[in-house]
Amino acid sequence: MSHATDIKTLARWMCSDFSNQEQAFENPPFYAHIRVCIRPLPLSNFPEPSLFLEQAYDYALNQPYRIRVLKLNIVEERIELENYKLKDKETFLGASREPEKLKKLTPNDIELMQGCDMFVDWTGTSFKGMVKPGRNCRIVRNGKETYLDNSFEINDHQLISLDRGYDPITNELVWGSVAGAFHFKPRQSFANEVEF
Ligand code: CYC
């Protein structure tokens, strides 16, 4: 099977075009139809294992509302995931589905989101990630500061993800799904593109 520092298996599972179509169809008021597309970044530009992520509404694939680079490291026998944003996301819109565009991205184009590192652990049958404790991942949404509480779990046939933002003073939910986790299934795998 896999093991706690198996970055390659984790990356092969994460590198897919994911959709929650079934969930959105069954429960339309609570779940929009979302696509999450993750592709490995070429080793020529990113010598450390790094993935490019785009998140979009299915009806607006070319206007992703969240673009990130995820860098996978091994720290003290555990997988650590660093979360980066793009300095100028306009240039790379849609790049998860346009490999030629993706080749132009370099480490100079990205910026670490401080406090938003995650640990990803092997459960025996899946990998499970969550933001490091301490409420340090601060996200301002509609002018309001929040801290991130999240988790995701992935294997070869699904990605389950729950990202929520809470008020640091009252601990009330400010953003994120009220109905629970998103259930994504891979539509197309890019596992064969993982070079590391
Ligand atoms: C935020 N999601 C975040 C943040 C982290 C993650 C670190 C806070 C900083 C940021 O905005 O980037 C991390 N969530 C993850 C990772 C995975 C994950 C690495 C595994 C792929 O699930 N985010 C996703 C989901 C999706 C989601 C698949 C569920 C629909 O990757 C939603 N995450 C989401 C949203 C935010 C967020 C809406 C807040 C972004 C904002 O309002 O600025």
Side-chain angles (χ1 to χ4, degrees), residues 62-80:
N62 292 322
Q63 287 122 46
Y65 61 88
R66 193 166 161 265
I67 303 185
R68 296 290 182 262
V69 169
L70 311 175
K71 195 184 274 183
L72 301 171
N73 308 309
I74 293 174
V75 176
E76 292 172 1
E77 299 299 301
R78 259 175 123 177
I79 299 173
E80 178 197 64

Side-chain angles (χ1 to χ4, degrees), residues 30-43:
F30 285 111
Y31 295 99
H33 182 187
I34 289 170
R35 299 280 290 275
V36 176
C37 191
I38 307 179
R39 271 322 241 273
L41 282 158
L43 278 181

Side-chain angles (χ1 to χ4, degrees), residues 13-24:
W13 288 348
M14 290 180 81
C15 287
S16 293
D17 184 347
F18 292 98
S19 154
N20 71 331
Q21 183 169 41
E22 243 174 80
Q23 182 180 43

Side-chain angles (χ1 to χ4, degrees), residues 67 84-92 105-112:
I67 303 185
Y84 292 80
K85 59 180 167 196
L86 269 57
K87 291 175 192 163
D88 172 23
K89 71 171 200 162
E90 303 305 318
T91 315
F92 298 99
L105 189 74
T106 73
N108 277 330
D109 299 316
I110 65 173
E111 204 167 29
L112 181 68

